[in-house]
């Protein structure tokens, strides 16, 4: 091992680590401080009639966040541009006013939730029950809103029946109704993650430094270890890996008239077909559906292509493995890097579609670097696992064809998760590809950082599968030559 090159390489990795840490905090520090919270949306089943002057509608509601700044109210307008004012007042158990707001009736849309801001946010009332009182001014019959009520929570295309406590039923002039008003409370939940971000990053870096120093000390004693292996790969086999990547990339487009233009066309053509099917025939109403669809296709295609190519990397290079000695992990790594090049080219059409659809280019796009690195770790682990299995069990590639198809349909590429029953969402979210693709969509479409838990999910799934793949491959690689 060339110690000079190795130290330069390790210092480069340390610089990349801190650059990534600083970038994430610079872009996502607001989301590390707080997150938006909205109470459950109710499905309307009936209305209470027109809310005219002299009527008083009350509803007890539980505050869902540390700070509440607005309410969403569903009302019926009968298609009219009603005039007048809706007043809302929030009081606590003692009857003291803690918040209030007004809204012109002309801003309400038929059967839609309309946001009504509070004059002053309601602070430090999370979990407390407040009483909402609604009245109007300047409203007579034929010129007033109709408030909806229900007793089921909307979960995508499913409604979940709720048992409404007696004290949470709405009242009209003191008379108790049969459900809850279709009103959502919007607020902000304060997070404490920002306090732990820097200590966690510093501790991780200190642990990594201690491990590297220990490995370098062992290297001076002639002992092999993962850090020695990593540095040796960089210093001794870097050129070979570049040649293998170049070979795989050229072989993919050999005798193709359009060549690497297919890296651009494949995701675009796939998106076009699925867009026509799911937005026209199935009436998909997902906002910014072209970007939503293409982002899922690009990320999942990288995963599928890298695993499919990488799982045959050992068996496909059997002649070289038997004749020339070199670390066997180089073959799957070169296939992964080849697919990564294709992925980088496929990102360009995604940015073009963002430009055409008017999607904003925000600093949150920088967070895709973190997402791609986690996805790369996950893909590497999967390739090491499946290339090992493929060496001993040739039917692995056929089984993977079925598994990858099932995996694709279990990942929200062309549909949204709101069609999944609520009770299955917990298992659905355990799909690592769901986490990586959802992370990317939040950055691209929403222009914001995902919640801190999204970072944790990505890191844990990536590291766990990567370590499992490395250990499996290392344990069995000495037997590969006997089965090739």
């Amino acid at each position: 091992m060339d110690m000079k090159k190795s130290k330069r390489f390790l210092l480069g990795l340390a610089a990349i680590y801190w650059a990534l840490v600083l970038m994430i905090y610079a872009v996502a520090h607001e989301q590390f401080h707080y997150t938006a919270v909205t109470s459950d949306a109710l499905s309307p089943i009936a209305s209470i009639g027109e809310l005219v002057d002299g009527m008083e509608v009350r509803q007890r509601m539980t505050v869902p966040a540390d700070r509440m700044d607005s309410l969403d109210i569903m009302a019926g307008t009968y298609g009219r541009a009603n005039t007048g004012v809706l007043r809302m007042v929030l009081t606590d158990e003692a009857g003291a006013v803690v918040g209030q707001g007004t809204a012109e009736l002309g801003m309400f849309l038929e059967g839609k939730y309309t946001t009504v801001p509070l004059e002053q946010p309601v602070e430090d009332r999370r979990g407390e029950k407040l009483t909402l009182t609604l009245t109007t001014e300047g409203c007579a019959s034929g010129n007033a809103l109709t408030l909806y009520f229900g007793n089921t929570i909307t979960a995508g295309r499913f409604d979940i029946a709720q048992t409404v406590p007696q004290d949470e039923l709405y009242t009209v002039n003191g008379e108790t109704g049969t459900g809850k008003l279709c009103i959502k409370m919007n607020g902000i939940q304060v997070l404490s993650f920002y306090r732990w971000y820097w200590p966690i990053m510093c501790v991780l870096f200190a642990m990594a430094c201690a491990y590297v120093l220990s490995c370098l000390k062992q290297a001076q004693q002639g002992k092999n270890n993962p850090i020695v292996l990593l540095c040796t790969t960089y210093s001794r086999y870097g050129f070979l890996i570049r040649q293998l990547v170049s070979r795989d990339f050229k072989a993919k487009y050999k005798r193709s008239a359009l060549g690497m233009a297919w890296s651009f066309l494949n995701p675009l053509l796939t998106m076009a077909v699925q867009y026509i099917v799911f937005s026209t025939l199935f009436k998909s109403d997902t906002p910014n559906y072209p970007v939503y669809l293409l982002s899922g296709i690009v990320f999942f295609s990288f995963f599928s292509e890298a695993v499919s190519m990488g799982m045959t990397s050992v068996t496909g290079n059997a002649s070289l493995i038997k004749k020339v000695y070199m670390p066997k992990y180089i073959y799957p790594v070169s296939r992964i890097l080849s697919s990564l090049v294709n992925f980088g080219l496929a990102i360009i059409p995604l940015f073009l579609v963002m430009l055409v659809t008017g999607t904003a280019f925000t600093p949150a796009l920088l967070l895709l670097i973190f997402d791609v690195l986690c996805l790369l770790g996950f893909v590497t682990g999967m390739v090491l696992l499946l290339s090992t299995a493929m060496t001993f069990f040739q039917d692995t590639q056929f089984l993977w064809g079925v598994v990858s198809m099932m995996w694709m349909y279990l990942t929200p590429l062309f549909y949204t998760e709101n069609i999944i029953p609520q009770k299955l969402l917990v298992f659905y979210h355990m799909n690592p590809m769901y986490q990586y693709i959802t992370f990317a969509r939040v950055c691209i479409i929403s222009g914001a950082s995902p919640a801190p838990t999204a970072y944790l999910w990505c890191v844990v799934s990536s590291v766990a599968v990567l370590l499992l793949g490395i250990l499996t491959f290392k344990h069995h690689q000495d037997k590969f030559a006997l089965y090739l």
Side-chain angles (χ1 to χ4, degrees), residues 31 288 291 354 359-360 362 364-365 438-450:
Q31 284 76 23
N288 205 350
V291 176
M354 289 175 61
T359 305
T362 67
L365 291 175
T438 301
F439 190 105
R441 283 170 171 162
V442 172
C443 298
I444 295 170
I445 299 175
S446 302
S449 165

Side-chain angles (χ1 to χ4, degrees), residues 47 51 70 109 128 146 152 161 165 212 214 218 226 233 273 278 283 292 296 331 334 345 382 388-389 406 447 476:
S47 71
L51 181 58
S70 65
L109 301 175
E128 185 176 336
T146 294
T152 60
V212 169
S214 174
Q218 292 177 18
T233 301
V273 172
F278 294 106
K283 305 296 182 184
Y292 179 91
Y331 299 108
S334 65
L345 294 174
M382 288 292 298
T388 302
M406 292 175 58
H476 293 91

Side-chain angles (χ1 to χ4, degrees), residues 13-32:
L13 290 181
I16 292 172
Y17 172 84
W18 283 113
L20 190 61
V21 167
L22 289 169
M23 181 201 70
I24 290 174
Y25 191 79
V27 176
H29 69 278
E30 289 188 4
Q31 284 76 23
F32 290 170

Side-chain angles (χ1 to χ4, degrees), residues 324-365:
V324 182
Y325 171 77
M326 65 180 68
K328 299 176 182 63
Y329 62 83
I330 285 179
Y331 299 108
V333 167
S334 65
R335 292 286 178 88
I336 295 168
L337 293 177
S338 175
S339 296
L340 186 62
V341 173
N342 288 326
F343 174 71
L345 294 174
I347 286 287
I348 297 175
L350 175 59
F351 288 156
L352 291 176
V353 172
M354 289 175 61
L355 193 64
V356 170
T357 57
T359 305
F361 286 75
T362 67
L365 291 175

Side-chain angles (χ1 to χ4, degrees), residues 221-401:
Q221 300 172 357
K223 297 180 181 179
N224 200 6
N225 57 66
I227 296 300
V228 171
L229 191 64
L230 182 63
C231 293
T232 302
T233 301
Y234 169 76
S235 60
R236 185 179 300 175
Y237 298 107
F239 177 77
L240 175 60
I241 291 176
R242 288 193 294 271
Q243 293 302 311
L244 290 174
V245 170
S246 176
R247 183 199 67 177
D248 292 337
F249 188 77
K250 292 177 180 178
K252 181 176 181 180
Y253 299 111
K254 187 178 181 181
R255 298 180 182 177
S256 170
L258 296 180
M260 70 177 187
W262 283 112
S263 295
F264 299 89
L265 292 175
N266 264 331
L268 286 175
L269 293 175
T270 303
M271 184 209 70
V273 172
Q274 293 190 355
Y275 179 80
I276 293 172
V277 172
F278 294 106
S279 67
T280 304
L281 300 182
F282 293 166
K283 305 296 182 184
S284 174
D285 55 357
T286 305
N288 205 350
Y289 189 62
V291 176
Y292 179 91
L293 180 60
L294 186 56
S295 58
I297 291 172
V298 168
F299 275 76
F300 194 88
S301 294
F302 166 59
F303 165 70
S304 179
E305 176 189 295
V307 175
S308 298
M309 289 179 59
M311 67 186 300
T312 60
S313 58
V314 175
T315 55
N317 289 282
S319 56
L320 283 175
I321 291 175
K322 290 179 179 180
K323 295 177 181 178
V324 182
Y325 171 77
M326 65 180 68
K328 299 176 182 63
Y329 62 83
I330 285 179
Y331 299 108
V333 167
S334 65
R335 292 286 178 88
I336 295 168
L337 293 177
S338 175
S339 296
L340 186 62
V341 173
N342 288 326
F343 174 71
L345 294 174
I347 286 287
I348 297 175
L350 175 59
F351 288 156
L352 291 176
V353 172
M354 289 175 61
L355 193 64
V356 170
T357 57
T359 305
F361 286 75
T362 67
L365 291 175
L366 294 173
L367 297 176
L368 292 177
I369 299 173
F370 170 84
D371 191 35
V372 171
L373 288 175
C374 290
L375 176 58
L376 185 61
F378 177 75
V379 166
T380 302
M382 288 292 298
V383 168
L384 293 176
L385 281 170
L386 292 178
S387 61
T388 302
M390 180 70 181
T391 305
F392 301 104
F393 186 58
Q394 296 291 317
D395 290 346
T396 301
Q397 59 182 328
F398 305 113
L399 292 174
W400 171 247

Side-chain angles (χ1 to χ4, degrees), residues 20-93:
L20 190 61
V21 167
L22 289 169
M23 181 201 70
I24 290 174
Y25 191 79
V27 176
H29 69 278
E30 289 188 4
Q31 284 76 23
F32 290 170
H33 281 70
Y34 59 82
T35 185
V37 176
T38 301
S39 57
D40 293 324
L42 292 177
S43 298
I45 58 173
S47 71
I48 66 171
E50 290 184 293
L51 181 58
V52 299
D53 292 357
M55 289 180 62
E56 184 180 81
V57 179
R58 292 195 172 193
Q59 172 77 68
R60 291 193 75 194
M61 308 181 71
T62 303
V63 180
D66 292 327
R67 188 182 81 185
M68 184 176 65
D69 49 26
S70 65
L71 280 78
D72 291 349
I73 300 175
M74 180 183 285
T77 64
Y78 302 104
R80 302 186 300 253
N82 298 315
T83 58
V85 176
L86 175 70
R87 297 191 178 278
M88 60 183 191
V89 178
L90 287 164
T91 55
D92 60 16
E93 296 290 343

Side-chain angles (χ1 to χ4, degrees), residues 25-216:
Y25 191 79
V27 176
H29 69 278
E30 289 188 4
Q31 284 76 23
F32 290 170
H33 281 70
Y34 59 82
T35 185
V37 176
T38 301
S39 57
D40 293 324
L42 292 177
S43 298
I45 58 173
S47 71
I48 66 171
E50 290 184 293
L51 181 58
V52 299
D53 292 357
M55 289 180 62
E56 184 180 81
V57 179
R58 292 195 172 193
Q59 172 77 68
R60 291 193 75 194
M61 308 181 71
T62 303
V63 180
D66 292 327
R67 188 182 81 185
M68 184 176 65
D69 49 26
S70 65
L71 280 78
D72 291 349
I73 300 175
M74 180 183 285
T77 64
Y78 302 104
R80 302 186 300 253
N82 298 315
T83 58
V85 176
L86 175 70
R87 297 191 178 278
M88 60 183 191
V89 178
L90 287 164
T91 55
D92 60 16
E93 296 290 343
V97 175
V98 298
Q100 55 188 340
T102 60
E104 298 290 335
L105 298 193
M107 66 185 288
F108 287 87
L109 301 175
E110 174 64 39
K112 303 289 185 181
Y113 276 103
T114 300
T115 300
V116 180
L118 294 170
E119 294 177 0
Q120 295 291 334
V122 176
E123 306 275 0
D124 302 322
R125 299 276 182 170
R126 183 186 179 194
E128 185 176 336
K129 284 191 175 182
L130 302 179
T131 299
L132 172 67
T133 302
L134 298 175
T135 57
T136 58
E137 290 184 10
C139 296
S141 181
N143 186 37
L145 291 177
T146 294
L147 298 179
Y148 290 110
F149 70 89
N151 56 14
T152 60
I153 293 177
T154 301
R157 298 183 180 180
F158 302 92
D159 290 332
I160 304 172
Q162 302 290 298
T163 300
V164 182
Q166 186 67 25
D167 65 338
E168 292 187 8
L169 295 172
Y170 74 87
T171 65
V172 178
N173 293 337
E175 295 186 7
T176 304
T178 57
K180 296 176 67 174
L181 297 175
C182 293
I183 296 177
K184 298 185 291 183
M185 305 178 83
N186 306 314
I188 291 175
Q189 180 63 42
V190 177
L191 303 176
S192 60
F193 181 73
Y194 72 96
R195 300 173 185 169
W196 297 99
Y197 180 78
W198 290 110
I200 291 173
M201 296 301 106
C202 291
V203 168
L204 289 176
F205 184 74
M207 293 172 61
C209 287
Y211 178 70
V212 169
L213 291 175
S214 174
C215 290
L216 291 178

